[in-house]
Amino acid sequence: MNAEEAKVGCFQMVLVLLLGINYVIVAMSHALPVFYNYTPKFYCQTKNSTSKSYGCQIASNSSIAANLTFTSSEVPVVTSSCFGEYHFVTEFMENSVVTEWGLVCEKQYLSFLGSTTYYIGVLLGAWITGFLIDRIGRLPVQALCLYAQGTMAVALYIVQSYPAFLALRGLQGVFVQGLQNSTYILSLELLPARARTIVALIMQIFWSIGLILLAILSYVIPDWRILQLAISVPTAITVLYIWIISESPRWLLARGKSTEADMALERIAIYNSCCIKLRTKNIPVQEVSMKSNTTPIKPERKFRVTSVELEKARADESQREETTNLLNKSELIEQKNLESTLEANSINSENEFSNIELHQETPSLAKNFDKRHLPSSSKSDRKSKIITQPECDQKKGAEEVVLRRIKKQKTNEKDEKIGIHKKQAANKISSTFKNASKSSILRKYGVIIICQWWTCTIACSTLDALAPSFPINRHTTFALSATLEMATHTFAYFILSRYGRRLPMCTYQSLNGIVCILIAVFFVLTATTTMPWIDLAKMITLLFGKMTITSTLSIAYLYTVEIFPTVIRGSCLGLCVAFAKITSLSMLYLLLLKQISFPMLLLIVGILCLVAGVLALILPETLNKILPDQVMDMENVTNDNCESDGVNIENDVKEEDLTEGQILREKLFSEDWVDAGNGILVNFMENKKMPSGL
């Protein structure tokens, strides 16, 4: 049975839900700068004076309106220090990083430095942990990053200096991004091809849940220190279930760890069977209630033994006695044959085992069983028993010695094979990255995927700079945007399930380009004419663009995992995220410097998104396709002759021609392989397919 055709067990779905808690932690940590850098109204109060000057002080000792953003079209004013202290006007005694260290006016750059430090840590974390995910595994990196970022969250609660705060936030960004990449890859690799789209949706929904939870917590907890401590509570909860999560069997097989992969598969099968037993506990009660109305079935009556059957039994006993007498005469000949077979078996271990089995099936060995149980009335029979018992003992002793030799030789051969496989796996691992750099298909797809990430991130940063400030509460605005994001991911799920990845990626990138060009046109129209409908149209177009960019990012994550092979999947995803963060940081400072007009920037970004949409058509379709394990397997993804329902090409290959890794891969998620104890998986479907005559 194909590994991709098996049913998904409840244990695997429980694992996906538990891994979703990690995504909640990642979402809250990534969105914390929104509430860290909250700047309420403030005023400068000079010493020994009751006069208040709201906003930053300029060289002419006048004030300007507070809370200026870098998106305004005015040139930033040159400020001077306050000859006193800045005081903040808060409604609910809110305490943010800005209010605690006074990061306003001449210190405003320090608040941007906090976000920059965090995203630099995210950049380094994506690059470093990406290689570790492929080197030491998905689960160890996930556990390391999970509890390391939790430790940083607790340390941020007690930090007192702003430089120490920046250092801890940078380290937290490293581990949070490693947690995100390892969790996403592991959740997709634990399930077959047809379940990957729903798993990606579940992860994105947990992301939105994390954003909504952060909005609620930030509203209830106004102090940023206690808020930082509160979001570390899910990390403490993961201690209860982290031991249940299994390592990715696909990664173990790709790295040549067949034994560990077999143990992981057996563990998943055991937990799936436990879930099935829990669901079927109530079935016997229903069966009893159904059968209570039916009439009881009368048991079959046992018949007595007749005289004819007794005569047949006596005749059989007499025939057995005659056979024992005949076997006694041919005992010496059979003993010589046994010695010759033992000598031949010592030369060839495999033939020896088969010869012993065939020899045990001969009547010479069957007579020993008959002699023990059949009665013998003559003296000659009794003498023959006395003579044959030590000879049988000699035969058994010789057979035991030979069997022991066979076992030793087989164990030695297995050890040699295991050592050879390990050496071959090590050689493959060392040459994986060399082959990856030489693969033209990998280079082509890598450049196109990085282009998708790059253009999508540029468009996201540009539209974020244009986000309108609604008059409602900021917590409510944040929660509503997270809810809209959840609905966007749900709609994208149906699109991906029906049309795959390639066409939706092309469509969404084209929509991103059209949105950017339309907003640039609205900016030009606003500068030339005064029409009331332009502002409304610009806001609707902007919200629509945010939805399309959110969907594009989710498709980019899924597409990256499905295209690149297992042995370098973490490294490729980490490099793509690193390129995306570099782009977002560069766009942030480009918008701050204002070296280019906003309509021209939007026009350039729109053209880049349209080009990226055309390039997406070159990528292969990965809907319901098996994840590639090696670099050479990427050619199978591009094969258009493959059916879209996830059927494996290797189904026509006989099992005797498969390697050990391929056989284990066939076991993956296969319900035909049943746990037989001691870490062995036995396929009982083979016995069902055997002819009845055998």
Side-chain angles (χ1 to χ4, degrees), residues 225-290:
R225 292 182 181 273
I226 303 176
L227 178 63
Q228 179 67 64
L229 193 63
I231 66 172
S232 62
V233 173
T235 304
I237 296 174
T238 57
V239 180
L240 302 176
Y241 64 84
I242 190 66
W243 56 274
I244 301 176
I245 300 175
S246 176
E247 181 58 274
S248 171
R250 294 185 184 277
W251 178 81
L252 293 172
L253 289 172
R255 292 297 296 265
K257 299 180 179 181
S258 302
T259 305
E260 291 85 348
D262 206 350
M263 293 172 64
L265 292 173
E266 182 183 2
R267 186 179 182 184
I268 293 173
I270 290 172
Y271 281 112
N272 279 332
S273 63
C274 292
C275 295
I276 294 172
K277 289 179 182 178
L278 291 175
R279 288 187 298 175
T280 55
K281 275 186 177 180
N282 297 325
I283 294 178
V285 179
Q286 295 176 359
E287 290 179 355
V288 171
S289 62
M290 292 293 292

Side-chain angles (χ1 to χ4, degrees), residues 504-549:
M505 175 63 82
C506 176
T507 304
Y508 277 115
Q509 285 282 36
S510 302
L511 290 175
N512 294 336
I514 294 172
V515 165
C516 291
I517 294 173
L518 284 178
I519 294 176
V521 172
F522 289 148
F523 266 103
V524 175
L525 291 177
T526 304
T528 56
T529 59
T530 57
M531 295 182 181
W533 59 270
I534 294 179
D535 293 334
L536 180 61
K538 184 169 63 175
M539 184 178 297
I540 294 174
T541 307
L542 181 62
L543 292 177
F544 180 75
K546 291 288 293 181
M547 294 174 61
T548 57
I549 288 175

Side-chain angles (χ1 to χ4, degrees), residues 216-227:
I216 296 172
L217 290 175
S218 63
Y219 180 78
V220 176
I221 304 172
D223 192 354
W224 73 270
R225 292 182 181 273
I226 303 176
L227 178 63

Side-chain angles (χ1 to χ4, degrees), residues 151-161 168 224-225 228-229:
T151 305
M152 298 301 156
V154 176
L156 285 169
Y157 172 74
I158 61 177
V159 70
Q160 296 298 325
S161 63
L168 289 175
W224 73 270
R225 292 182 181 273
Q228 179 67 64
L229 193 63

